Amino acid sequence: PKTWSDDEIAIDRVAPLFLAASDGLSLPVNRQLIRRDAHATRSLLRVDINNERESYAFPLAATASGAENEGAPIHSAAELSVEQRKKQLSEQIRLEGGRFSFNTKYGALNPFAIYYCLLSILLGVVWYAALTACDLLYIITGGRFDQKRLLPNYCNQMWGTLLMRLSRSYPKIVNKDILRTFYKEKRAAMFVSNHASWMDIPFMGTTIGWRNYKIVAKKELEKVPILGKGIKCGKNVSVDRSDRRSQLMTLKAGMQWLKDGVHLCTFPEGTRSKSGRVMKFKNGAFKMAHKVGAPIIPLSIVASGKVMPSHWLFPFKPSHSIAKVIVHDPIETKGKTEDEVATAAREAIISGLPEDQRPGK
C-alpha cells in the first residue's frame, strides 16, 4: 500500500495501458506513477515512462483523489475520440504558445508565429522578385552565365539570414572554426544533419554560410510558394521518392555538383521526426559522397523542435538562446566503405544531441 500525494496517481486498474507515441509506436505502461505537469490543465497529464526523460501527454480520466473519479477507466490515446484528441492538442498548443494560441487546419499559430509569417512573406516578395530577375538573366544568356547558379543561392541566403535575424531566430553555431578551416581547402562536402523541424532548413543554411551549396530536397517542396521557385532557380537537387528513375537522376545530379566543387546538404532521415528523436538514415547522401570521394560534415541541430514542432504552422517563439547547431569534424570517405561512412556520420550527429533527441532504446 502507498499513500499518493495530490499530484500523483497510480495506474493499477489497467494491465497494461498502451500510450501511442508520435512515431506510431505503442508503449505498454502498467502500474506506472504519473505526475501532473506543473503547467498542465486539470485534464492533462504527462507520463514519464520507466523514469526516462521522455514524456507523453494524455487526458486525465482518473485520479487518486476525488470520489467522483473512483474506479473511472483510464483510456489510451488510441481510444480517444476525434473531439477528445482535438481538445488535447488545443491544450498542448496553449501550453506551448501561450493563452493567445489557436489551432487551424494548417497548423497552430500565436502572435509570434503570425509575426514570423508576415515577415517571411514580406521578405519573400523581394526574394521572389530577385529570383525572377535571375531567371530572366539565364534566359537571355542561354544559361551560359553563372552555370553553377550562385546568384539564386545568394538570394536564398539573404532571405534566410534576414528572416533569422529579424525574428531573433538565429541559432548558436558551435565549432564554426571547423568550417573556416575546411573552406580553405577549396573542397566540396556533403553536409548532413538530423531533422525534427522546418527550422532545420534555415538553420543548416545559416551554418554553411555564404557558399554555393545545393539542397537535396523532396520534390513536393517545389510546390511551396516562393521556396519552390528558389529550389528550381538554383538548380537544387529534387527527388521524387515514389519514382525509381528520379532517384537515380538525383544521385547523378548530386554527384556532378560535388565534382564541380559545389556543396550538398540534406537530411538523411528523409523526413521530419515528429518525436524529435533521430530516426533511421537512408543511404542516398552517403552514396553520393562515397562515389566521388567527397567528405561528410555532420551537423547536430539541437532543439529546433522546441520552437516549431510538427503541429505548428510557424515557430511559436524565437530560437535565439534555445536552438543551436554543432559542427563536427569532416569524415573522409576515401578508404572507407559506404556503411562505415554512414555509421560514423550518424554517431557524430547523435553525440551532439541531448538525451531527448537521441534514438529511443
Side-chain angles (χ1 to χ4, degrees):
K2 176 175 174 59
T3 301
W4 305 95
S5 60
D6 291 339
D7 64 343
E8 299 175 346
I9 67 170
I11 297 182
D12 54 9
R13 292 186 290 275
V14 181
L17 167 71
F18 284 90
L19 296 178
S22 57
D23 58 2
L25 183 67
S26 292
L27 302 177
V29 185
N30 186 23
R31 292 179 172 82
Q32 294 291 337
L33 175 65
I34 303 179
R35 295 182 179 273
R36 188 187 303 277
D37 188 283
H39 302 289
T41 64
R42 181 174 178 81
S43 62
L44 189 67
L45 292 176
R46 287 201 176 275
V47 185
D48 294 324
I49 307 300
N50 297 328
N51 295 321
E52 294 181 3
R53 296 183 183 180
E54 184 168 4
S55 319
Y56 297 91
F58 75 104
L60 175 60
T63 63
S65 60
E68 70 278 6
N69 288 318
E70 187 65 32
I74 298 178
H75 300 287
S76 70
E79 295 173 330
L80 298 178
S81 68
V82 174
E83 289 303 317
Q84 286 174 315
R85 285 197 293 269
K86 286 182 179 179
K87 182 179 179 181
Q88 177 186 337
L89 180 59
S90 296
E91 290 176 346
Q92 182 178 348
I93 287 169
R94 284 195 295 272
L95 289 174
E96 293 169 337
R99 63 187 298 183
F100 298 111
S101 304
F102 60 95
N103 199 16
T104 74
K105 66 178 181 179
Y106 302 108
L109 292 170
N110 70 348
F112 178 81
I114 294 172
Y115 165 74
Y116 189 96
C117 171
L118 295 176
L119 179 62
S120 62
I121 292 173
L122 179 63
L123 295 173
V125 171
V126 181
W127 180 24
Y128 187 88
L131 292 173
T132 301
C134 289
D135 276 337
L136 290 174
L137 179 63
Y138 297 137
I139 292 173
I140 293 171
T141 62
R144 292 184 293 274
F145 176 77
D146 189 25
Q147 294 183 3
K148 294 183 180 180
R149 299 298 173 102
L150 180 60
L151 282 179
N153 190 79
Y154 279 174
C155 293
N156 300 342
Q157 192 74 13
M158 178 64 74
W159 176 83
T161 300
L162 287 175
L163 182 59
M164 293 295 98
R165 291 297 189 188
L166 294 176
S167 64
R168 298 187 72 247
S169 296
Y170 207 90
K172 178 182 179 182
I173 302 175
V174 182
N175 300 331
K176 189 66 179 284
D177 56 309
I178 292 177
L179 293 183
R180 296 191 187 100
T181 301
F182 179 79
Y183 289 154
K184 292 177 182 178
E185 300 176 11
K186 306 295 183 182
R187 292 195 294 161
M190 171 70 77
F191 290 82
V192 296
S193 82
N194 56 300
H195 191 22
S197 170
W198 270 94
M199 297 300 287
D200 296 332
I201 299 174
F203 285 176
M204 180 181 275
T206 295
T207 302
I208 297 173
W210 295 85
R211 303 279 166 171
N212 197 359
Y213 62 89
K214 309 300 176 188
I215 297 176
V216 181
K218 298 180 293 185
K219 193 169 183 64
E220 300 93 284
L221 291 181
E222 292 184 355
K223 299 177 183 179
V224 178
I226 307 180
L227 174 62
K229 188 172 183 65
I231 290 174
K232 289 184 283 188
C233 183
K235 285 194 173 180
N236 289 269
V237 183
S238 297
V239 56
D240 183 350
R241 293 179 293 181
S242 63
D243 186 345
R244 178 64 177 170
R245 186 170 181 273
S246 171
Q247 295 174 18
L248 293 174
M249 295 297 292
T250 297
L251 181 66
K252 292 180 180 179
M255 289 169 58
Q256 189 59 53
W257 277 128
L258 289 172
K259 290 177 182 178
D260 292 341
V262 177
H263 303 296
L264 287 182
C265 57
T266 190
F267 304 106
E269 292 165 281
T271 189
R272 286 176 294 166
S273 168
K274 292 184 178 180
S275 68
R277 292 185 179 276
V278 175
M279 302 186 297
K280 184 179 179 180
F281 281 6
K282 300 183 187 302
N283 294 329
F286 307 107
K287 188 180 294 292
M288 290 183 206
H290 187 263
K291 284 186 175 293
V292 300
I296 302 282
I297 299 183
L299 306 175
S300 300
I301 301 181
V302 178
S304 61
K306 293 189 184 328
V307 295
M308 188 180 172
S310 59
H311 52 275
W312 280 81
L313 184 57
F314 293 98
F316 63 83
K317 61 182 175 181
S319 304
H320 177 70
S321 77
I322 298 176
K324 64 180 177 180
V325 181
I326 301 174
V327 182
H328 300 280
D329 290 320
I331 298 171
E332 297 296 337
T333 57
K334 294 179 180 178
K336 296 185 178 73
T337 66
E338 186 180 309
D339 287 341
E340 288 173 339
V341 171
T343 299
R346 180 179 173 84
E347 289 177 350
I349 290 172
I350 293 173
S351 71
L353 298 175
E355 191 65 34
D356 63 355
Q357 285 189 254
R358 296 184 177 187
K361 297 178 181 179

